[in-house]
Amino acid sequence: MREVITLRHILILICVMFWGVASQAQNTSPVYAIEFNKIQNGIMDEGKLQKNQLEDYDNNPVCLVKVKAQGFDEATLQKLIFVPRNIMIMHKAYENGEYRLYVSSRKSGSILIKYQGEYEFKLPYNLEPKKIYELVLGMETATLNIITTPDNATIYIDDEKVGVGHGSKSVSIGAEHKYRVECDDYITEENVVVFTEKEKKELNIELRPDFGYITVKSTPGGAEVYIDKKKAGVTPYLMEKIKRGQHVVEVRKEGYEPFANVVTIKAGEMNNQYENVVLEAVRVATGTLVLESNPSGAVITIDGRQYGQTPKTLTEFPAGTY
């Protein structure tokens, strides 16, 4: 006997297919509802609203559902997509860190929230016209864990300081999260990471040095070392840290001509070009002084110091007034 397919069979088949699709679409997102409440004494301000914020297509009054985030950031909240199911969302707006959905109060149904999958939130059937409700959404989170070398580096995740040397933070799924690691004398490292599921990621970050090393030795020793006009130490100046780039290095010692030159420091490398700085003694102008007297044999005294008797010739005598 052949079975006759009636309109009733077709409708049942369509319903079964629709239910199967709907069931697969539900609750595959990390988003979930924490609470749904009516705001006490909350009434829509009709004077400031347009018609599509007050009535549905059947001229039924609407109510306002404010959607807020708890435990995830505002940027992620703005990525949520709201799709009505068996209800009417007449108007949607984003204001002051929350979504505002103007929903028909005469129809029961649900809102499909799309973000890294789909989550279906079923609205109560008894929504009151012109009243204000609040839907608080949460999100399953992932964990970002960062360990640094050196261990005194400061760690920031989404511009929030989370630790020194080691830090972690729960972050929302599906969004970009920026991390930054800073430490004196090292090059700052920053990047973004994205989680597609509830998981824990651990990053071991070794910062690149922003310095090299320099050694300065001089003959004679004990000379003062100046770097960029600031006194850094005395010779021998061994294996000292110095920021990468170009610097003016000076070696000074009283009675000797100063030595100065430009050095280029590379990150992580030793600069040895000043291991043998030979300082030259200062050359003082001199003259020859011839002293005679009559009678001879007179004692010679210059600025309180005796130099023998006349006649006398003093050579390489420092220039000056005596």
Side-chain angles (χ1 to χ4, degrees):
M1 179 182 294
R2 297 178 61 185
E3 183 176 350
V4 179
I5 299 177
T6 64
L7 179 60
R8 181 171 178 272
H9 286 90
I10 296 173
L11 291 175
I12 292 173
L13 181 61
I14 292 174
C15 289
V16 170
M17 292 174 61
F18 176 79
W19 176 253
V21 172
S23 298
Q24 293 175 11
Q26 294 175 17
N27 307 338
T28 60
S29 169
V31 176
Y32 61 91
I34 296 177
E35 59 182 6
F36 182 82
N37 297 308
K38 183 173 71 174
I39 297 177
Q40 294 297 324
N41 302 319
I43 301 176
M44 295 168 56
D45 188 352
E46 298 184 39
K48 296 182 179 180
L49 301 177
Q50 301 174 8
K51 184 176 180 180
N52 64 348
Q53 295 170 292
L54 295 171
E55 296 179 351
D56 63 17
Y57 297 124
D58 298 325
N59 297 321
N60 295 314
V62 304
C63 61
L64 172 58
V65 177
K66 294 183 176 182
V67 183
K68 297 184 176 182
Q70 181 174 307
F72 63 97
D73 55 33
E74 187 175 336
T76 303
L77 176 62
Q78 294 183 63
K79 294 179 181 179
L80 304 186
I81 298 174
F82 302 92
V83 179
R85 274 191 169 174
N86 301 323
I87 62 168
M88 296 182 187
I89 298 180
M90 302 306 301
H91 183 75
K92 181 181 74 172
Y94 188 85
E95 300 177 21
N96 301 322
E98 63 185 19
Y99 270 108
R100 299 187 177 188
L101 308 180
Y102 295 84
V103 180
S104 174
S105 62
R106 297 301 188 193
K107 296 181 180 293
S108 61
S110 59
I111 299 174
L112 195 65
I113 302 172
K114 294 187 175 183
Y115 178 82
Q116 300 295 313
E118 297 179 338
Y119 170 75
E120 184 177 28
F121 176 74
K122 294 182 179 179
L123 288 167
Y125 69 91
N126 59 344
L127 295 178
E128 297 182 38
K130 302 180 183 179
K131 294 293 185 176
I132 301 176
Y133 296 84
E134 184 176 80
L135 171 60
V136 181
L137 296 178
M139 182 175 293
E140 291 183 348
T141 57
T143 301
L144 178 57
N145 188 47
I146 297 177
I147 300 173
T148 71
T149 302
D151 59 9
N152 62 333
T154 304
I155 303 166
Y156 298 87
I157 299 177
D158 293 331
D159 294 323
E160 176 188 347
K161 181 179 176 180
V162 296
V164 175
H166 174 266
S168 63
K169 183 181 179 182
S170 295
V171 295
S172 57
I173 297 171
E176 285 190 348
H177 298 281
K178 181 174 68 175
Y179 66 84
R180 185 174 76 256
V181 180
E182 300 177 346
C183 188
D184 290 342
D185 297 328
Y186 290 84
I187 299 172
T188 297
E189 181 170 329
E190 53 187 336
N191 210 333
V192 296
V193 62
V194 178
F195 292 84
T196 57
E197 58 183 341
K198 186 176 182 179
E199 60 180 325
K200 180 177 181 179
K201 288 185 180 180
E202 184 167 289
L203 303 179
N204 289 281
I205 297 177
E206 183 173 352
L207 294 180
R208 293 174 295 153
D210 197 30
F211 60 87
Y213 299 90
I214 189 171
T215 289
V216 182
K217 297 179 182 178
S218 69
T219 302
E224 295 178 332
V225 178
Y226 288 79
I227 298 177
D228 298 329
K229 298 184 179 181
K230 294 182 179 179
K231 185 176 179 179
V234 297
T235 58
Y237 187 74
L238 306 175
M239 291 285 291
E240 298 293 338
K241 282 184 180 180
I242 181 171
K243 190 175 179 67
R244 68 186 173 99
Q246 289 192 329
H247 302 274
V248 176
V249 176
E250 297 177 80
V251 183
R252 306 176 188 173
K253 187 175 180 66
E254 187 176 355
Y256 293 84
E257 297 287 350
F259 172 88
N261 208 342
V262 176
V263 63
T264 300
I265 301 297
K266 297 181 179 180
E269 294 185 7
M270 164 67 72
N271 188 289
N272 295 319
Q273 72 184 73
Y274 294 115
E275 276 204 320
N276 188 26
V277 177
V278 178
L279 298 177
E280 295 184 4
V282 175
R283 294 183 178 181
V284 180
T286 61
T288 299
L289 180 61
V290 178
L291 296 169
E292 297 177 346
S293 68
N294 188 14
S296 61
V299 176
I300 303 170
T301 303
I302 302 177
D303 288 348
R305 179 182 175 184
Q306 291 190 358
Y307 287 85
Q309 297 178 334
T310 59
K312 189 80 171 183
T313 300
L314 300 175
T315 59
E316 295 187 3
F317 202 78
T321 302
Y322 302 90

